[in-house]
Protein backbone atom coordinates (compact mmCIF):
# COMPACT_ATOMS: atom_id res chain seq x y z
CA UNK A 1 0.00 0.00 0.00
CA UNK A 2 2.84 2.40 0.85
CA UNK A 3 4.27 1.95 -2.66
CA UNK A 4 0.87 2.83 -4.16
CA UNK A 5 0.71 6.00 -2.06
CA UNK A 6 4.17 7.02 -3.25
CA UNK A 7 2.92 6.80 -6.85
CA UNK A 8 -0.24 8.84 -6.27
CA UNK A 9 -0.96 12.36 -7.37
CA UNK A 10 -2.38 14.98 -5.01
CA UNK A 11 -5.75 14.14 -3.48
CA UNK A 12 -8.49 16.77 -3.26
CA UNK A 13 -12.09 16.85 -2.11
CA UNK A 14 -15.17 18.81 -3.06
CA UNK A 15 -18.48 19.30 -1.30
CA UNK A 16 -21.13 20.39 -3.81
CA UNK A 17 -24.54 21.47 -2.51
CA UNK A 18 -27.73 20.76 -4.45
CA UNK A 19 -31.14 22.27 -3.70
CA UNK A 20 -33.27 19.59 -2.08
CA UNK A 21 -32.26 16.16 -3.34
CA UNK A 22 -32.86 16.97 -7.02
CA UNK A 23 -29.82 16.35 -9.18
CA UNK A 24 -29.88 17.32 -12.84
CA UNK A 25 -27.14 14.86 -13.67
CA UNK A 26 -25.61 17.37 -16.08
CA UNK A 27 -22.17 17.33 -14.43
CA UNK A 28 -21.86 13.58 -13.96
CA UNK A 29 -21.00 12.70 -17.60
CA UNK A 30 -18.23 15.30 -17.35
CA UNK A 31 -16.94 13.63 -14.19
CA UNK A 32 -16.98 10.26 -15.95
CA UNK A 33 -15.05 11.83 -18.85
CA UNK A 34 -12.33 13.05 -16.47
CA UNK A 35 -11.99 9.50 -15.14
CA UNK A 36 -12.02 7.95 -18.62
CA UNK A 37 -9.27 10.33 -19.75
CA UNK A 38 -7.14 9.33 -16.76
CA UNK A 39 -7.06 12.88 -15.36
CA UNK A 40 -8.61 11.92 -12.02
CA UNK A 41 -9.42 8.79 -10.05
CA UNK A 42 -12.47 8.84 -7.83
CA UNK A 43 -11.56 7.60 -4.36
CA UNK A 44 -14.89 8.32 -2.68
CA UNK A 45 -18.24 9.70 -3.78
CA UNK A 46 -20.87 10.02 -1.09
CA UNK A 47 -24.10 11.94 -0.78
CA UNK A 48 -25.63 13.51 2.32
CA UNK A 49 -28.73 15.50 3.17
CA UNK A 50 -29.27 18.01 5.92
CA UNK A 51 -32.75 17.84 7.44
CA UNK A 52 -34.68 20.88 8.67
CA UNK A 53 -33.59 20.12 12.24
CA UNK A 54 -29.92 20.06 11.21
CA UNK A 55 -29.51 16.28 11.22
CA UNK A 56 -27.12 15.06 8.53
CA UNK A 57 -27.89 11.69 6.96
CA UNK A 58 -26.04 9.69 4.33
CA UNK A 59 -27.99 9.06 1.16
CA UNK A 60 -27.75 5.96 -0.99
CA UNK A 61 -27.15 6.59 -4.68
CA UNK A 62 -30.25 4.68 -5.73
CA UNK A 63 -32.39 6.86 -3.44
CA UNK A 64 -31.49 10.14 -5.10
CA UNK A 65 -33.96 11.96 -7.33
CA UNK A 66 -32.69 12.91 -10.76
CA UNK A 67 -34.20 15.04 -13.48
CA UNK A 68 -34.82 12.88 -16.52
CA UNK A 69 -33.51 15.30 -19.15
CA UNK A 70 -29.93 14.36 -20.02
CA UNK A 71 -29.27 12.65 -16.70
CA UNK A 72 -26.75 9.87 -16.44
CA UNK A 73 -27.65 7.05 -14.12
CA UNK A 74 -25.87 7.54 -10.82
CA UNK A 75 -25.54 3.77 -10.54
CA UNK A 76 -22.26 4.11 -12.48
CA UNK A 77 -20.83 5.59 -9.25
CA UNK A 78 -22.18 2.84 -7.01
CA UNK A 79 -19.27 1.34 -5.10
CA UNK A 80 -16.97 4.35 -5.66
CA UNK A 81 -15.67 4.20 -2.13
CA UNK A 82 -12.27 3.65 -0.59
CA UNK A 83 -13.69 4.24 2.89
CA UNK A 84 -11.67 7.41 3.35
CA UNK A 85 -14.80 9.25 4.46
CA UNK A 86 -16.29 8.40 7.83
CA UNK A 87 -19.38 9.71 9.61
CA UNK A 88 -17.43 12.64 11.10
CA UNK A 89 -16.47 13.72 7.57
CA UNK A 90 -20.08 13.44 6.40
CA UNK A 91 -21.26 15.47 9.40
CA UNK A 92 -18.64 18.14 8.76
CA UNK A 93 -19.67 18.40 5.11
CA UNK A 94 -23.30 18.59 6.19
CA UNK A 95 -22.52 21.56 8.45
CA UNK A 96 -21.87 23.62 5.32
CA UNK A 97 -25.32 22.85 3.88
CA UNK A 98 -28.55 24.76 4.16
CA UNK A 99 -31.33 22.70 5.79
CA UNK A 100 -33.27 20.62 3.27
CA UNK A 101 -30.41 20.45 0.77
CA UNK A 102 -28.19 17.58 -0.29
CA UNK A 103 -24.52 17.44 -1.20
CA UNK A 104 -22.14 15.28 -3.13
CA UNK A 105 -18.79 14.73 -1.41
CA UNK A 106 -16.11 13.78 -3.89
CA UNK A 107 -12.59 12.69 -2.94
CA UNK A 108 -10.36 12.29 -5.97
CA UNK A 109 -6.75 11.80 -6.98
CA UNK A 110 -5.31 14.25 -9.50
CA UNK A 111 -3.71 11.62 -11.73
CA UNK A 112 -2.50 14.27 -14.18
CA UNK A 113 -0.20 15.62 -11.44
CA UNK A 114 1.16 12.24 -10.28
CA UNK A 115 4.48 12.38 -12.22
CA UNK A 116 5.14 15.90 -10.89
CA UNK A 117 4.25 14.84 -7.34
CA UNK A 118 6.50 11.75 -7.54
CA UNK A 119 9.43 13.88 -8.74
CA UNK A 120 8.92 16.30 -5.85
CA UNK A 121 8.77 13.45 -3.31
CA UNK A 122 11.96 11.91 -4.72
CA UNK A 123 13.65 15.28 -4.23
CA UNK A 124 12.52 15.34 -0.59
CA UNK A 125 9.95 18.09 -1.12
CA UNK A 126 6.62 18.10 0.65
CA UNK A 127 3.39 20.05 0.33
CA UNK A 128 3.18 22.65 3.09
CA UNK A 129 0.18 24.65 1.88
CA UNK A 130 -2.58 24.36 -0.66
CA UNK A 131 -5.66 26.29 -1.58
CA UNK A 132 -8.23 27.11 -4.17
CA UNK A 133 -9.40 30.51 -5.37
CA UNK A 134 -13.12 30.57 -6.21
CA UNK A 135 -13.92 31.87 -9.69
CA UNK A 136 -16.27 34.42 -8.10
CA UNK A 137 -13.33 35.92 -6.16
CA UNK A 138 -11.25 36.21 -9.34
CA UNK A 139 -14.12 37.90 -11.17
CA UNK A 140 -14.69 40.31 -8.28
CA UNK A 141 -10.97 41.18 -8.23
CA UNK A 142 -10.93 41.78 -11.98
CA UNK A 143 -14.07 43.91 -11.75
CA UNK A 144 -12.53 45.98 -8.93
CA UNK A 145 -9.32 46.42 -10.90
CA UNK A 146 -11.24 47.47 -14.00
CA UNK A 147 -13.31 49.95 -12.00
CA UNK A 148 -10.12 51.45 -10.55
CA UNK A 149 -8.54 51.88 -13.98
CA UNK A 150 -11.59 53.60 -15.35
CA UNK A 151 -11.58 56.32 -12.69
Amino acid sequence: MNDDIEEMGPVDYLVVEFPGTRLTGEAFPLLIDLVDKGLIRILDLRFVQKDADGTVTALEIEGLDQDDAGAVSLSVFDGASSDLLDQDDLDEAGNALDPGNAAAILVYENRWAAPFARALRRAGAQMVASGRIPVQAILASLDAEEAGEGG
Side-chain angles (χ1 to χ4, degrees):
M1 175 68 174
N2 199 20
D3 290 338
D4 292 340
I5 290 174
E6 287 298 316
E7 296 298 313
M8 287 181 70
V11 174
D12 286 327
Y13 74 92
L14 299 172
V15 178
V16 181
E17 183 177 27
F18 296 93
T21 59
R22 301 280 308 158
L23 306 174
T24 66
E26 181 179 355
F28 294 120
L30 300 169
L31 182 60
I32 292 168
D33 189 50
L34 292 171
V35 171
D36 288 346
K37 289 180 178 174
L39 298 173
I40 68 167
R41 176 173 58 141
I42 297 174
L43 301 176
D44 268 302
L45 178 61
R46 302 282 303 273
F47 296 88
V48 296
Q49 180 176 7
K50 186 173 190 176
D51 297 331
D53 67 359
T55 303
V56 177
T57 55
L59 300 174
E60 296 300 323
I61 288 178
E62 60 271 0
L64 295 172
D65 296 332
Q66 296 178 78
D67 292 342
D68 293 331
V72 66
S73 171
L74 292 179
S75 65
V76 72
F77 299 110
D78 200 20
S81 177
S82 59
D83 293 325
L84 289 172
L85 297 172
D86 62 16
Q87 188 60 48
D88 289 340
D89 297 318
L90 301 181
D91 290 341
E92 187 174 334
N95 288 335
L97 301 179
D98 286 333
N101 288 346
I105 306 162
L106 175 65
V107 180
Y108 60 98
E109 174 193 0
N110 291 285
R111 289 190 138 182
W112 60 269
F116 177 66
R118 283 192 301 269
L120 291 174
R121 285 191 291 267
R122 282 192 303 269
Q126 65 180 350
M127 175 86 68
V128 294
S130 177
R132 181 160 280 128
I133 302 171
V135 171
Q136 297 85 342
I138 293 170
L139 293 174
S141 178
L142 292 173
D143 287 346
E145 183 178 319
E146 187 175 290
E149 290 177 2

